[in-house]
Amino acid sequence: LVPAVHRAIDTVGWGSGASPLICGHGAIHAELERQLALFEGTDAALLFSSGFAANLGSITALVGRGDAIYSDAKNHASIIDGCRLSGATTFVFPHRDVTSLQGLLEDSSAFRRRLIVTDSLFSMDGNLAPLDKLAELAEQFQAILMVDEAHATGLYGKDGRGVAQHLGAEDGIHLRIGTFSKALGSIGGFVASSQCVVDWLVNRARSYVFSTALPEAAAAAGLESLRLVREEPHRRTRLLERSAHVRSQLRQQNWDLGSASSQIVPLYVGTPQAAVELSTKLRQEGFLLPAIRPPSVPAGESLLRISLTYGHTTDSVDALVSALESHRPRP
Ligand SMILES: *Cc1c(COP(=O)(O)O)cnc(C)c1O
């Protein structure tokens, strides 16, 4: 990505100068939006300055007073803030619980527009959302379905589009949110959707209209990372295989890893104190496993998050597994 950024800076400079609708939207932004739509298989795509801005701007543009939102209990903070700011009535359903969601949808038919919103791969516990079932419910109850693929873009699905592709649920999803900040190794959020929705967001999403566009060099990095996703699919298969391997080794050591199976491997340790203590010890041994505590997770569910990447060598992963051996929970 670095040479791509250098080349762009040398030709178009650094700052974009203004919000997209004034004059901040350049040729590289336009090309990235075109490539994003091709990548996602949607009519159109729209770039935001971050994933946070994409969620906040989209939710508040789609629903307002008199509308209803159905939001998974473990959704990302940017979704939660979007729900709050929108003024819509928000129903929080228990994590990945489609039965509860169905009950809520049945009991709240009087609202005007209804929006179901979920992460596709939850950033703290590594679980996948049941997108196929959510898509069925959205269709049955004529709700809009918005899915945040932040942690899955570039990693899940045959073409790396995310969990929706992995589960075959893409057709039932109306808006897909992504970010360049996770697997794509850069910065910038996006929405992929129909042309009609994208046109609406261009006019209504306040975090798009009233915020300076990303530097074009960041868009150039985005183009390069999409190319890598397209042309080097072995990166994502290798990472998911390695994650499965690490999980099975850590299970044998008695760690509580929850039920997930993604590249995010949580080690549940209980209290914030236990999490900080273990994280500090591992740091001294050369491993960065951040302690995740309330309010990022509910009380009692503090954890150390192992975020595996393609760049980790077999040796470093093996070294982590043996370091954890000496700290493992005793039965
Ligand atoms: C990281 C993340 C975001 C925010 O994306 P940024 O580009 O970092 O602002 C949004 N949603 C989810 C699920 C995330 O994990």
Side-chain angles (χ1 to χ4, degrees):
L1 307 192
V2 172
V5 170
H6 277 299
R7 278 195 303 274
I9 291 177
D10 286 343
T11 47
V12 295
W14 177 240
S16 62
S19 66
L21 298 184
I22 305 280
C23 61
H25 192 261
I28 308 178
H29 296 115
E31 176 59 10
L32 180 56
E33 288 174 338
R34 203 179 68 81
Q35 291 290 338
L36 272 171
L38 281 174
F39 171 67
E40 294 281 350
T42 52
D43 289 356
L46 189 66
L47 273 174
F48 285 75
S49 49
S50 68
F52 201 112
N55 274 327
L56 202 74
S58 300
I59 295 172
T60 51
L62 289 170
V63 290
R65 223 161 264 121
D67 299 326
I69 303 175
Y70 307 83
S71 175
D72 186 287
K74 292 200 176 173
N75 275 345
H76 189 262
S78 55
I79 295 179
I80 296 172
D81 288 358
C83 294
R84 288 179 179 152
L85 192 59
S86 73
T89 301
T90 302
F91 300 99
V92 176
F93 60 91
H95 189 39
R96 299 160 71 225
D97 184 344
V98 281
T99 314
S100 299
L101 171 60
Q102 175 159 4
L104 285 170
L105 285 160
E106 280 164 358
D107 294 345
S108 58
S109 56
F111 288 94
R112 182 182 64 150
R113 252 177 236 157
R114 303 205 283 170
L115 172 71
I116 302 170
V117 57
T118 186
D119 285 20
S120 71
L121 198 174
F122 290 87
S123 50
M124 296 306 162
D125 64 18
N127 279 316
L128 305 188
L131 296 182
D132 38 356
K133 301 200 183 78
L134 295 181
E136 280 169 29
L137 285 180
E139 172 155 30
Q140 185 184 343
F141 291 93
Q142 300 203 313
I144 307 166
L145 179 56
M146 171 172 158
V147 174
D148 177 354
E149 295 265 26
H151 277 285
T153 304
L155 200 49
Y156 273 83
K158 178 171 71 65
D159 302 306
R161 285 178 192 166
V163 176
Q165 186 178 34
H166 175 64
L167 297 178
E170 290 183 295
D171 290 347
I173 296 168
H174 306 101
L175 285 88
R176 268 180 255 160
I177 309 292
T179 177
F180 285 94
S181 65
K182 307 285 163 69
L184 302 181
S186 183
I187 185 82
F190 62 88
V191 178
S193 188
S194 64
Q195 188 65 54
C196 171
V197 167
V198 166
D199 289 345
W200 178 259
L201 295 179
V202 166
N203 288 281
R204 292 297 185 105
R206 292 168 67 81
S207 60
Y208 178 82
V209 176
F210 297 106
S211 187
T212 299
L214 285 172
E216 275 193 281
L223 282 169
E224 185 64 8
S225 52
L226 285 185
R227 188 187 67 75
L228 289 171
V229 170
R230 218 168 35 236
E231 295 178 9
E232 301 186 9
H234 61 277
R235 289 170 178 261
R236 52 183 176 272
T237 30
R238 164 94 169 270
L239 173 54
L240 291 177
E241 281 163 13
R242 175 157 290 161
S243 313
H245 175 70
V246 168
R247 273 174 198 279
S248 77
Q249 301 232 306
L250 295 181
R251 280 226 165 80
Q252 283 168 22
Q253 291 180 7
N254 236 353
W255 291 99
D256 176 3
L257 308 176
S259 59
S261 63
S262 67
Q263 80 284 9
I264 297 172
V265 183
L267 295 181
Y268 289 97
V269 295
T271 64
Q273 291 80 358
V276 171
E277 215 170 277
L278 183 53
S279 175
T280 308
K281 279 188 200 146
L282 287 163
R283 185 98 192 222
Q284 285 157 0
E285 297 171 25
F287 301 99
L288 176 62
L289 274 68
I292 311 286
R293 296 155 278 165
S296 301
V297 290
E301 294 180 29
S302 289
L303 58 93
L304 264 59
R305 185 169 66 173
I306 307 176
S307 299
L308 294 164
T309 78
Y310 174 80
H312 288 122
T313 61
T314 307
D315 285 352
S316 65
V317 171
D318 288 347
L320 172 65
V321 169
S322 46
L324 284 169
E325 170 76 30
S326 59
H327 299 293
R328 79 192 159 100
R330 305 292 160 191

